[in-house]
Amino acid sequence: MRVLIAGAGEVGFRVGRDLVYRGHEVTLIDSNPSSVKRAQTLDAQVFKGNAASAKFLLEEASIKDADLFIGVTGKDVVNLVGCSLAKKMGCSTIARLNNPEIIDLPPDYDHQQLFGVDAFVSPDELSMHRIWQILSRPALTRLEHFSVGKLRILEIRLNDSSPSVGRPLSNIKLPPHCRIALIAREEGVTIPSEQDILMPRDRILILLSEHSELEELSDSLGLPKEITSERNIKRLMIAGTSRIALNLAKQVHEDSRYKDVEVYVTEPDPILAEKASSELPESVRVLVGSSTDRHFLREEGIRYEDLFVAATDREDWNVLSCLLAKKEGAKRTVALVYQTELEYVVQDTGIDTLINPKRVTVNAIVNRATSTDKIEGMEELEGGEASVREFLIKSNSKNVGIPIAKLGVPEQTLIAMVNRKGEALFPDDEFTFNEGDHVLVFTLKGKLPEVEKFFY
């Protein structure tokens, strides 16, 4: 597939990199010299130019020869202009929109006909969706881009008293329908083998099927009470008055499932606080004060908060306020971060959940772009250091009918689950693939080319 990407910033570069890894012909365009220079490190064609210029797209970037156009510049209008032209040239189109209001239309109008866009991707909406998952079950993330939609990932940190600490995985009895898929510690991320020994402060990711009971994991791993219990969230504090912050407060208020939840929004700027108060329902309390001020947090009862979400436009404030909130007694904290490097640095500091709008946007775009590709689904983990992929086993696959132990699976790769006709199977070394199996694989970033070659 020939893909033309308008925008080579953080999102465009990562989308391009992933598509190049998967063997697609990629062209990137950007007007920023530093973005162009970085993109030139990829095995892709790179142009410096204006993605809103029809002449440039036609004569230089050869948009008429592309199969897919992806608009991910920082300007929504540029993305829409590029998609509109690309659609007239016969391309499929995907546009990132930072402000969804730009395409807010009456119900009688068709977005595709007006803008020529097959799919819109909104970082705000994707981030909001992740926060909603946390509201419904704080420690769980659903893997929704995969063929078994009810799969979940549980993320926990082991403490000194965990019964699993100091023991190899081979000696830890886990209940059925679950598997430890990844271990993160100070020295890096690893895909565990049976010989790996769990250590205090390890952050582990556990793959669970819909049949898994969290309570059954307690005997093996010593899960915190707030994970295994069904205690509902009663108090929610949101730091900031960004679009995400205000939309979250509004949606919690409007959702009948959370009618008893007390919602607080903090904003240090009195003018912005007053503006937010005028936009939000009366039941949402807007507090004038800084979420990075521990005295303010104490006065407002941070120790009683079941969930603290830092959603300002400043990621450094988000990180600091979450660390303070956690230290002062907040049950669970969520911080928005916008740089993958920062996400990687602070992920082991004690903040429960980091949400990177750029990373979730990359996942959504690549999933959309390759939905009919060999790989059925993908998602990045640990700031891009690890990935989970789904592969379809076809009739001509070299891996059919051979036990996994004899296939030569690449190192640092875990064949975690197989979806066989809707049934979730957790394979062992003697398991053999059948045609039509959907295989869920966890691996490290550097192993992706080898893993994809292994399956195809």
Side-chain angles (χ1 to χ4, degrees), residues 87-326:
K87 198 64 184 175
K88 288 180 172 58
M89 295 295 106
C91 290
S92 297
T93 56
I94 301 173
R96 178 180 73 171
L97 284 182
N98 295 303
N99 184 5
E101 292 179 2
I102 200 169
I103 58 163
D104 191 13
L105 295 173
D108 296 337
Y109 290 85
D110 182 82
H111 289 85
Q112 188 183 70
Q113 288 183 350
L114 283 176
F115 299 109
V117 180
D118 294 314
F120 293 103
V121 178
S122 167
D124 283 8
E125 292 300 320
L126 292 168
S127 300
M128 280 285 299
H129 182 66
R130 176 68 184 102
I131 296 172
W132 274 108
Q133 290 180 329
I134 296 168
L135 276 168
S136 62
R137 199 64 189 269
L140 291 172
T141 302
R142 291 193 181 278
L143 292 177
E144 297 181 334
H145 298 305
F146 302 91
S147 62
V148 180
K150 294 183 179 180
L151 284 175
R152 301 168 295 172
I153 285 182
L154 171 66
E155 179 181 331
I156 65 169
R157 186 182 295 277
L158 298 178
N159 56 38
D160 293 344
S161 61
S162 170
S164 60
V165 166
R167 298 169 59 190
L169 293 187
S170 58
N171 291 344
I172 298 173
K173 182 174 176 55
L174 296 175
H177 311 297
C178 73
R179 176 161 293 178
I180 296 176
L182 182 146
I183 301 174
R185 47 178 63 129
E186 287 186 4
E187 54 265 35
V189 178
T190 185
I191 306 298
S193 67
E194 291 292 301
Q195 291 72 43
D196 279 299
I197 296 175
L198 295 178
M199 305 296 289
R201 301 290 299 164
D202 277 356
R203 189 159 44 81
I204 61 175
L205 269 61
I206 306 169
L207 181 69
L208 304 168
S209 80
E210 61 180 314
H211 306 294
S212 304
E213 293 294 335
L214 292 177
E215 290 78 3
E216 295 181 28
L217 285 171
S218 290
D219 292 340
S220 300
L221 300 175
L223 301 185
K225 183 179 179 181
E226 60 264 26
I227 292 178
T228 56
S229 69
E230 295 290 341
R231 177 177 54 81
N232 293 325
I233 289 174
K234 293 298 183 184
R235 285 174 59 104
L236 165 65
M237 181 177 284
I238 306 168
T241 53
S242 63
R243 281 200 308 263
I244 292 178
L246 297 183
N247 286 337
L248 176 61
K250 291 175 185 176
Q251 290 186 28
V252 172
H253 166 78
E254 294 168 358
D255 195 309
S256 59
R257 294 174 297 174
Y258 304 109
K259 61 182 180 180
D260 296 326
V261 175
E262 298 178 31
V263 182
Y264 303 86
V265 173
T266 70
E267 170 57 55
D269 187 322
I271 296 176
L272 292 178
E274 184 177 355
K275 183 175 183 294
S277 183
S278 67
E279 296 178 11
L280 293 171
E282 291 184 3
S283 61
V284 178
R285 289 187 57 196
V286 179
L287 308 172
V288 180
S290 174
S291 58
T292 60
D293 181 346
R294 71 176 185 274
H295 299 295
F296 169 75
L297 292 177
R298 288 176 182 174
E299 289 175 1
E300 298 303 335
I302 188 64
R303 66 185 180 278
Y304 300 117
E305 305 302 333
D306 296 308
L307 180 62
F308 177 86
V309 179
T312 76
D313 292 324
R314 292 260 318 252
E315 58 189 345
D316 53 345
W317 287 1
N318 294 340
V319 169
L320 179 57
S321 58
C322 275
L323 293 174
L324 282 173
K326 193 71 175 180

